[in-house]
Amino acid sequence: MVPFQNHFEVMPHLSIKDVPPAWAEALRQRALQHHRSLQGELMAILEQALSAAPPRPAVTAAPEAGLRQGRKTLAQVRQALQARYPRPIEGQSSSVALIREARDSR
């Protein structure tokens, strides 16, 4: 005889203490926008975060203009790309010309 097995998984309860009032209100507004309860919105946020790609580094406040660590401004991205690719590759066809040629060949 097979022993009785509980077919209901016991789900843990989580609690977050000392949530800043502005965060709590932002979460309530987000839940309203998505037509969910606060609990449902929090579950959706956790599900999305846990199913995403590899964990990202911890986010901390950066001193300049409210930017977060690990984020770059458009100017920083442009500067990095210009440093890596200072000028166009010589002797290569432009992508616009290649696309036009492919379209015209049909």
Side-chain angles (χ1 to χ4, degrees):
M1 180 171 209
V2 177
F4 174 76
Q5 293 179 341
N6 186 353
H7 293 285
F8 297 100
E9 185 178 332
V10 176
M11 299 238 182
H13 294 270
L14 301 177
S15 176
I16 301 173
K17 294 179 173 74
D18 301 322
V19 175
W23 288 16
E25 183 56 31
L27 285 167
R28 283 186 201 97
Q29 293 302 317
R30 183 175 164 154
L32 282 172
Q33 289 172 349
H34 293 126
H35 307 286
R36 297 182 180 129
S37 66
L38 182 57
Q39 177 72 22
E41 186 65 23
L42 291 169
M43 291 293 283
I45 291 169
L46 287 172
E47 180 181 27
Q48 181 183 14
L50 294 172
S51 66
R56 295 173 18 195
V59 177
T60 58
E64 65 275 4
L67 296 177
R68 297 186 295 174
Q69 183 178 2
R71 304 285 175 119
K72 293 182 180 180
T73 64
L74 288 175
Q76 290 170 324
V77 170
R78 182 177 183 202
Q79 183 180 14
L81 288 173
Q82 285 178 335
R84 188 170 182 181
Y85 307 105
R87 55 190 131 84
I89 300 171
E90 305 266 338
Q92 295 292 319
S93 301
S94 84
S95 58
V96 173
L98 291 172
I99 292 170
R100 281 197 183 121
E101 183 181 323
R103 287 182 183 162
D104 292 344
S105 67
R106 295 184 213 169

